[in-house]
Every structure is written in structure tokens, then in C-alpha cells.
Amino acid sequence: MALFGRRRSADPGGRESASTPSAADVTDEPRDEPSDDVELGTPFSRARGPFDSSEVTLDDDWVDFGAIFLPRTDAVEVRLELDQSTDTVLAIHLVDGASTAQLQAYAAPRTLGVWPEIRGEIASGVTTQGGRAEVADGLLGKELRVRLPDGTAMRLHGVDGPRWFLRVVLNGPAATDDDAAERLLEIVRGVAVVRGGDAMPPREVLPLRLPPQPAPADASAVVESEAAAQPARRA
């Protein structure tokens, strides 16, 4: 799978809140008022993922991005959203044709999940600005489908784990097409989140990083490795 596409973040500090919607996170088509008070099917179970790092053996089947371990797959392209001034990884993007899924992990309280509160805040903010929002059942539990006032749409998912929260934002056709969304979300289900033991305030982003590179056997291997890596980096 391809790695390390570069994109300048709208927030160079990387301090985006888990509840902050933006046009950079969106694409095309939801419906009306938020309906989070309506019962929507069976509660979501993480039995098939996304996983906590304590629930799986993190071996070569995953790519290590720090707080997020991605399952190895050739089904999508993987790009990293970087702050180019510091080379800080801000988010992971799974790319399937014109559809993308943005992944970010955040600290969360030990006992309470934050996704119900976050999706309510997003829905309220969107509708206050003249957009539309709807809560629906999705592959990762309740999802929030919104259309912003400028016509762009996005589909947001949130998964609450032990002391972490994984946010997934679908853009492009996947924002409105269930089949396109399912292809990306099936890969997301294989993700493992590494919370770490550090004390962090709720909703603080968990740090991502470039995957560790294997040490080359000699100097010629270094040159070959660097040359091979160049085409994967996008301006």
C-alpha cells in the first residue's frame, strides 16, 4: 500500500478538537434535523473492531502509526496528513478512488464514552449555521450524516474504546453511498488503538507518527531505500 502523501493541515498546531466540523473534512449529501433521541437498532459492539491494543497481538499484520495501528491491505491507498513545518502527523487518510476516510484518535474518560456528546455538538453547530444533520445506524454504530450550508456533506463515525475515542470522517462518494462507505469502514474495523499510559485530558489528540523504517544492512541499502521512497511523497 502507498504511504506518506503530504497535505498541509488547516490547523498547523494540530490541536483540532474531536468535535470540530470543518469543510476540509467533508463531501456530499445527508438530510434533516438531528434525531439522537430516537432508538436506532442494536448497540454497536467492538467484537470485530476497532480494537484496543490490549485485545490483539500487534505484529507484522499491522502498520505502526503510533496511536493507530492499521491493518496491512492493498485495498486502499494510505496518505498521511502532515504539518509540513514540523513533520507532525495530524491524521491518517484511507483513499479508495474518490472516497476517503480520515482517522484520528483522542483521549477519553475511563468510564464514559464521548461519541454521543460529540455528535450532538456537531449536529447542533451544523443546524445552527443553516445546515442539516441526521443520526442513522451505520457499520460502526450510530453515525452522523450532515450537509453543510455550502452544500458539502460528510458522514461521521465515532467509536468509544477504553480511555480512547476513534473519529472517522468519510468524504467523497462514501459520504452518501453506502457501498463506498462499507469498503472503507471494513478496513477501519481492523484498526487497533494504542492509548498509552500517560494522563491526558479528554478529547486531546493521541499522537501519530511515521512508521518505523527497518534498518538497512549497509550504506548502499540506504541509498536504494531513499530512492524508492521518493515517489510516495506528495507535495
Side-chain angles (χ1 to χ4, degrees):
M1 76 187 152
L3 295 173
F4 316 140
R6 285 179 175 266
R7 192 178 92 184
R8 183 177 294 278
S9 167
D11 177 8
R15 298 185 179 86
E16 177 189 8
S17 165
S19 61
T20 303
S22 72
D25 287 337
V26 300
T27 15
D28 231 49
E29 186 168 303
R31 319 205 245 283
D32 264 17
E33 287 294 309
S35 53
D36 219 8
D37 56 336
V38 178
E39 179 127 4
L40 297 172
T42 306
F44 172 69
S45 167
R46 288 194 307 103
R48 281 207 310 121
F51 304 101
D52 183 71
S53 58
S54 66
E55 299 166 343
V56 293
T57 300
L58 296 176
D59 53 22
D60 289 342
D61 290 335
W62 278 272
V63 182
D64 176 3
F65 290 98
I68 294 177
F69 275 58
L70 273 183
R72 292 187 183 275
T73 177
D74 293 324
V76 297
E77 180 182 2
V78 179
R79 299 177 185 171
L80 299 184
E81 183 176 340
L82 303 180
D83 175 359
Q84 292 183 327
S85 65
T86 62
D87 263 2
T88 301
V89 181
L90 303 178
I92 299 171
H93 293 256
L94 308 181
V95 183
D96 178 24
S99 296
T100 64
Q102 182 201 59
L103 279 64
Q104 291 173 300
Y106 299 83
R110 185 179 298 276
T111 55
L112 296 176
V114 297
W115 177 225
E117 181 181 5
I118 287 173
R119 68 173 176 257
E121 292 171 1
I122 295 173
S124 177
V126 169
T127 55
T128 297
Q129 295 172 23
R132 293 179 291 171
E134 177 191 41
V135 176
D137 281 324
L139 289 181
L140 301 181
K142 289 184 182 180
E143 64 182 34
L144 182 63
R145 305 174 183 180
V146 307
R147 180 180 286 278
L148 298 183
D150 65 3
T152 49
M154 61 182 173
R155 185 187 301 216
L156 297 98
H157 298 78
V159 178
D160 286 306
R163 299 176 62 234
W164 54 259
F165 166 69
L166 179 68
R167 190 186 74 166
V168 183
V169 183
L170 298 184
N171 295 296
T176 55
D177 183 285
D178 289 342
D179 290 337
E182 182 175 359
R183 288 196 298 272
L184 288 169
L185 293 178
E186 280 301 319
I187 295 171
V188 172
R189 292 203 77 152
V191 161
V193 177
V194 181
R195 168 60 177 82
D198 294 342
M200 300 176 69
R203 304 197 191 188
E204 182 170 329
V205 67
L206 300 180
L208 297 171
R209 67 185 180 207
L210 296 172
Q213 299 298 312
D218 53 41
S220 62
V222 172
V223 174
E224 292 175 3
S225 175
E226 291 180 348
Q230 291 307 310
R233 300 181 74 89
R234 291 176 169 79

